[in-house]
Amino acid sequence: MSWQTSDTELLTISQVREITGISARTLRYYEELDLLPGVRRRAGGRRVYGPDEIERLRFIGRLKALGLSLAEIKELNAVYRIQGSTQAMLAHLEKLLDDQLAVVDGRIAELVALRDDIQKYQDHVVSRQRPSRREARRAGSGEVR
């Protein structure tokens, strides 16, 4: 976090909400979870955010979009704090993304199998709707069942 941010670069919670689309409640929740550590406050206690917080919020949003949970994102913060290294955090992120990729691949396989089952059943339903040749011959000869 850059502590050399001038007051003119600091944003209020409502400005951050407008920029990021993240609700004020979620911003406070991220702070509570320590996903957004070190949020500064003005003399009156109002939160203010700088470019580093905006960047972190975008990073969190990207990780969430990739399917990572808030707990996993919190793990990344902990790895960074404990190891003090971006490289350690990136290695952990790579592992999390590998795991997420395996989950997505599994879901895709399940969805492909489901699609095949639906198609087979649909074919079965369609075949049941068409009269059989025998029924068609009966209908053509006027035979009553």
mmCIF file of all heavy atoms in Angstrom, residues 138-139 141-145:
data_model
loop_
_atom_site.group_PDB
_atom_site.id
_atom_site.type_symbol
_atom_site.label_atom_id
_atom_site.label_comp_id
_atom_site.label_asym_id
_atom_site.label_seq_id
_atom_site.Cartn_x
_atom_site.Cartn_y
_atom_site.Cartn_z
ATOM 1 N N ARG A 138 -52.302 -49.481 -40.680
ATOM 2 C CA ARG A 138 -53.668 -49.633 -40.175
ATOM 3 C C ARG A 138 -54.507 -48.398 -40.485
ATOM 4 O O ARG A 138 -55.658 -48.481 -40.876
ATOM 5 C CB ARG A 138 -53.679 -49.863 -38.674
ATOM 6 C CG ARG A 138 -53.377 -51.262 -38.304
ATOM 7 C CD ARG A 138 -53.631 -51.415 -36.822
ATOM 8 N NE ARG A 138 -53.024 -52.663 -36.393
ATOM 9 C CZ ARG A 138 -52.516 -52.868 -35.211
ATOM 10 N NH1 ARG A 138 -52.564 -51.908 -34.311
ATOM 11 N NH2 ARG A 138 -51.999 -54.027 -34.894
ATOM 12 N N ALA A 139 -53.885 -47.236 -40.242
ATOM 13 C CA ALA A 139 -54.613 -45.984 -40.479
ATOM 14 C C ALA A 139 -54.932 -45.832 -41.964
ATOM 15 O O ALA A 139 -55.993 -45.358 -42.322
ATOM 16 C CB ALA A 139 -53.784 -44.802 -39.983
ATOM 17 N N SER A 141 -55.446 -48.307 -44.145
ATOM 18 C CA SER A 141 -56.406 -49.307 -44.624
ATOM 19 C C SER A 141 -57.785 -49.126 -43.996
ATOM 20 O O SER A 141 -58.718 -49.828 -44.335
ATOM 21 C CB SER A 141 -55.903 -50.710 -44.318
ATOM 22 O OG SER A 141 -55.882 -50.926 -42.916
ATOM 23 N N GLY A 142 -57.858 -48.217 -43.037
ATOM 24 C CA GLY A 142 -59.141 -47.988 -42.395
ATOM 25 C C GLY A 142 -59.425 -48.969 -41.283
ATOM 26 O O GLY A 142 -60.516 -48.992 -40.732
ATOM 27 N N GLU A 143 -58.452 -49.809 -40.953
ATOM 28 C CA GLU A 143 -58.633 -50.802 -39.879
ATOM 29 C C GLU A 143 -58.761 -50.085 -38.544
ATOM 30 O O GLU A 143 -58.022 -49.138 -38.253
ATOM 31 C CB GLU A 143 -57.405 -51.736 -39.857
ATOM 32 C CG GLU A 143 -57.486 -52.844 -38.858
ATOM 33 C CD GLU A 143 -56.223 -53.690 -38.879
ATOM 34 O OE1 GLU A 143 -55.576 -53.804 -39.934
ATOM 35 O OE2 GLU A 143 -55.888 -54.209 -37.811
ATOM 36 N N VAL A 144 -59.684 -50.534 -37.726
ATOM 37 C CA VAL A 144 -59.912 -49.920 -36.410
ATOM 38 C C VAL A 144 -59.325 -50.844 -35.366
ATOM 39 O O VAL A 144 -59.522 -52.044 -35.409
ATOM 40 C CB VAL A 144 -61.436 -49.736 -36.174
ATOM 41 C CG1 VAL A 144 -61.668 -49.138 -34.795
ATOM 42 C CG2 VAL A 144 -62.032 -48.880 -37.260
ATOM 43 N N ARG A 145 -58.689 -50.295 -34.419
ATOM 44 C CA ARG A 145 -58.089 -51.077 -33.329
ATOM 45 C C ARG A 145 -59.032 -51.315 -32.221
ATOM 46 O O ARG A 145 -59.817 -50.635 -31.778
ATOM 47 C CB ARG A 145 -56.881 -50.338 -32.764
ATOM 48 C CG ARG A 145 -55.721 -50.452 -33.667
ATOM 49 C CD ARG A 145 -54.562 -49.708 -33.116
ATOM 50 N NE ARG A 145 -53.758 -50.596 -32.255
ATOM 51 C CZ ARG A 145 -52.722 -50.219 -31.554
ATOM 52 N NH1 ARG A 145 -52.347 -48.973 -31.587
ATOM 53 N NH2 ARG A 145 -52.037 -51.038 -30.844
#
